[in-house]
Amino acid sequence: MDARAALRQLKRRADAGEPLEALSHPALGLLSRSAAPVEGVSFDEDARQMAVRVADGTMIHGGRAAGEERLRGARLLAGCLHVLAHGGVHLITPDERQAREEGELAAAVYGPLGISVAVLCDGMDEDERGTAYAADVTVGAYRRFGMDLLRDRQSLEPRDGARPAPCAAVVKDPGHVLIAPIVEPLMLLEDEASPAGELRKSARMAAALRGGLDYAVDTARGVARLTAEGRKRLHDAFGVIDPAHVETLLLEKRVTEAVAATGCYARGRDYDIADGAVVPLASGTLPAGVRLHGGLLQAIETKEGMPASDTQWITATVSVFEYFQRYSRVGGTSSAELMFTAELEELFGLNVWDRRGPEELKTQQQHAQQMAAYLALNRQIAQWGRPGVQQRTELYDVRGRIWEPLELRVLLRHLVETVVKDEIRHGNAGPGQLRGGPGGLAAELLREQAAGAADPRRAEDTVLTRVRTICDDYLMTDPDAQRRAVQSALDQAAVYQAQAELYYRDRYWPDDLATFEEELTAVHDSLRTQFERAVARQVLDRG
């Protein structure tokens, strides 16, 4: 029997539910023969044992005894087991150079078996990326996988199965792939013209606030925080009605950035101006990549009387925790001196098998002691990141439902009914408040309320029946327009959610996690209501 036929037979056994342990023995034989002319990889019984554990969701440090060639064999055999059991696998590396090397090795070993391999590279167009993700084995750097996920979330078209939901990942060097990215989530940024008038108003308001009473400045971190009294004074000055509304958040953000621009950063010490641009000085405290702060740079420009440059808004973001939640199985191998065992177990919920001897573990302990502050910071970042992860997941779950016609119908009905019920029960004219004026459904609602005053429940049921009919009619005539409307409202909510998370983290870090969660939840609830109303308005205006 040739190698490809033998692999197809193993696939049938996997489909029948045979466990990985049983499949691993014949798979090891197939890969050993396939890899005979290939240098740099070893398949033996030790590699097989590690591969089964990796495929089952374990991070392994092989120690010096294992050697890099055997670890490569364990990763490739684990990948083969995932192809058999789950139909595909992502092999994730720390960087693109290692992705190319891992991909070349995988192609040489898997090729004779008929297992397709593709490597994600910089500069790929959409068709090339789609082909790469359709391969049995997709190899790439973590950053490349993560940025593709963000672009997919922002896409205006469904992927038609080009990037199906993955099931399993095999990681090379979890310290660099999982632990190092904790401090810096991946982001998509978009330039937008800065509101010059609002920036000037914010600067004037910042100048009127009283240091120590209305705000406090953290010069070490380069941020300002409004006190409770300062927030009240700001809200009164601008006539704020809803403190949790996103416009209130943006107002507070602009004002605190204006305070920080004056109270934390000085020209000649932290920055200079050259060729009409703010230039950070190496000796100063201006944060690297200041544009990523979405407003601080513009506050400094306004202070200096310069035209405000475009603001970079975060349109989508994903943490390393979010990214790896997508996989039902995550395993891998490490040969680094520091395994991050406690972090992998505690923060990612992974199993760890450390096979090093006492002398090697002594080195691990020394490194862990030296990095204690860094590891403690990682835990704190993970804890502060959880609320945002949960809220983004809710938004993206809704987005994932809009491509299926039945799901879109259920979603649309639910959103519009929620808004209409709220309006009816609060004594408003319901959709009449959402439309530009009386007539249509608004007039009908008023008639039904008047006619059914003795039986308000019957009146409500009649109106909701009419709402469902309008939703269904709209979907039948223009489903793509409704998808775009839902998507646009979701995208706006995601942008504001990201700004809220950054703003409140700056404000409450590192001592007040409870208030951070409370404020972020209030904004999320407000954004959800705005999203529901935006969708309902779109439907009822067309109804």
Side-chain angles (χ1 to χ4, degrees):
M1 184 183 299
D2 68 23
R4 296 192 178 204
L7 189 73
R8 287 194 295 270
Q9 186 180 69
L10 280 182
K11 175 61 175 166
R12 288 192 291 271
R13 290 168 58 181
D15 292 343
E18 195 161 333
L20 296 179
E21 173 67 33
L23 296 171
S24 67
H25 294 278
L28 177 67
L30 287 174
L31 290 182
S32 296
R33 291 190 291 275
S34 176
V38 180
E39 295 182 355
V41 63
S42 173
F43 293 99
D44 58 13
E45 176 59 21
D46 193 26
R48 185 197 69 78
Q49 292 182 22
M50 288 192 289
V52 172
R53 298 282 290 271
V54 169
D56 199 38
T58 298
M59 290 292 176
I60 297 177
H61 197 302
R64 294 193 197 102
E68 190 56 44
E69 291 187 359
R70 190 173 283 116
L71 292 179
R72 292 190 193 107
R75 291 195 298 272
L76 291 179
L77 179 52
C80 179
L81 293 175
H82 280 310
V83 170
L84 292 171
H86 305 121
V89 66
H90 290 173
L91 299 185
I92 304 179
T93 67
D95 55 53
E96 295 203 4
R97 177 188 62 79
Q98 294 184 65
R100 288 192 298 271
E101 294 172 353
E102 196 88 347
E104 289 171 2
L105 183 64
V109 173
Y110 290 147
L113 303 176
I115 298 174
S116 59
V117 177
V119 180
L120 298 175
C121 302
D122 190 25
M124 278 183 161
D125 62 29
E126 186 53 46
D127 289 340
E128 290 170 329
R129 278 198 296 270
T131 300
Y133 280 97
D136 298 322
V137 178
T138 305
V139 188
Y142 159 67
R143 181 175 181 82
R144 182 63 51 199
F145 279 110
M147 294 304 289
D148 282 347
L149 172 64
L150 289 179
R151 292 189 184 94
D152 282 356
R153 285 177 168 179
Q154 295 293 293
S155 173
L156 296 176
E157 300 294 337
R159 292 300 180 186
D160 297 325
R163 293 208 259 288
C167 180
V170 174
V171 173
K172 178 185 180 183
D173 191 356
H176 282 95
V177 172
L178 281 85
I179 303 301
I182 289 176
V183 298
E184 188 175 353
L186 298 176
M187 299 176 184
L188 285 182
L189 302 168
E190 185 175 295
D191 285 348
E192 184 175 288
S194 298
E198 296 300 325
L199 288 169
R200 288 191 292 270
K201 288 181 185 177
S202 299
R204 290 195 293 270
M205 184 69 208
L209 295 176
R210 302 159 297 177
L213 292 176
D214 297 324
Y215 66 84
V217 172
D218 184 344
T219 54
R221 295 180 56 233
V223 297
R225 299 179 183 180
L226 293 174
T227 64
E229 187 172 346
R231 289 186 83 188
K232 183 179 185 305
R233 190 175 180 194
L234 175 62
H235 293 179
D236 290 344
F238 283 84
V240 168
I241 298 173
D242 181 3
H245 195 279
V246 67
E247 292 300 332
T248 306
L249 178 145
L250 294 176
L251 169 64
E252 291 182 11
K253 182 174 179 293
R254 283 192 294 267
V255 170
T256 54
E257 286 165 345
V259 171
T262 301
C264 299
Y265 304 105
R267 183 174 178 177
R269 182 192 70 193
D270 304 302
Y271 64 89
D272 212 334
I273 297 176
D275 298 325
V278 174
V279 180
L281 298 178
S283 58
T285 57
L286 197 64
V290 67
R291 285 175 63 83
L292 297 183
H293 285 67
L296 177 58
L297 174 62
Q298 289 71 29
I300 293 174
E301 291 167 337
T302 302
K303 179 185 79 170
E304 296 291 347
M306 301 167 59
S309 59
D310 289 350
T311 300
Q312 281 192 317
W313 290 89
I314 300 169
T315 59
T317 183
V318 64
S319 70
V320 67
F321 304 106
E322 274 176 277
Y323 180 81
F324 279 96
Q325 284 176 359
R326 305 166 68 230
Y327 301 104
S328 61
R329 291 284 188 279
V330 179
T333 68
S334 174
S335 56
E337 288 185 333
L338 192 56
M339 183 60 184
F340 300 98
T341 300
E343 288 70 31
L344 293 172
E345 291 176 339
E346 176 187 336
L347 302 182
F348 292 90
L350 298 173
N351 299 315
V352 178
W353 181 22
D354 196 334
R355 305 184 350 150
R356 289 175 293 181
E359 287 302 315
E360 292 175 272
L361 289 174
K362 187 181 295 184
T363 303
Q364 150 101 3
Q365 292 166 357
Q366 293 171 350
H367 277 276
Q369 290 169 359
Q370 294 168 1
M371 299 182 68
Y374 167 74
L375 297 177
L377 176 63
N378 279 346
R379 285 188 171 86
Q380 195 170 21
I381 290 173
Q383 192 174 19
W384 282 67
R386 287 189 189 111
V389 169
Q390 294 168 357
Q391 292 164 7
R392 285 194 296 275
T393 298
E394 180 182 326
L395 291 176
Y396 290 124
D397 283 348
V398 172
R399 191 184 183 113
R401 296 173 59 188
I402 68 176
W403 303 114
E404 291 294 332
L406 182 59
E407 284 287 323
L408 179 60
R409 178 173 178 264
V410 172
L411 174 65
L412 197 62
R413 280 187 168 193
H414 169 72
L415 292 175
V416 179
E417 286 181 31
T418 297
V419 172
V420 171
K421 285 179 181 178
D422 182 67
E423 293 292 330
I424 292 173
R425 291 171 184 176
H426 285 81
N428 299 324
Q433 293 287 330
L434 300 171
R435 297 171 62 88
L441 187 58
E444 181 168 342
L445 174 60
L446 292 171
R447 287 197 300 271
E448 291 295 339
Q449 285 181 320
D455 188 359
R457 172 58 65 184
R458 180 178 175 278
E460 180 179 320
D461 290 344
T462 302
V463 170
L464 292 177
T465 298
R466 175 62 176 146
V467 165
R468 296 182 194 109
T469 301
I470 288 177
C471 289
D472 294 347
D473 289 347
Y474 188 20
L475 283 176
M476 289 179 65
T477 56
D478 199 353
D480 288 338
Q482 191 53 50
R483 286 191 182 94
R484 288 192 295 271
V486 174
Q487 196 167 26
S488 175
L490 281 171
D491 286 348
Q492 186 177 53
V495 169
Y496 288 148
Q497 185 78 36
Q499 300 308 313
E501 188 172 1
L502 285 178
Y503 171 65
Y504 287 131
R505 185 160 53 214
D506 275 348
R507 182 174 175 185
Y508 295 113
W509 176 275
D511 303 318
D512 199 350
L513 175 60
T515 306
F516 166 76
E517 291 179 336
E518 180 181 326
E519 297 266 24
L520 193 59
T521 298
V523 168
H524 181 69
D525 291 343
S526 176
L527 287 171
R528 186 194 300 114
T529 299
Q530 292 175 55
F531 163 67
E532 291 168 349
R533 288 178 173 274
V535 173
R537 184 182 299 113
Q538 173 78 9
V539 173
L540 298 177
D541 280 349
R542 298 285 290 270

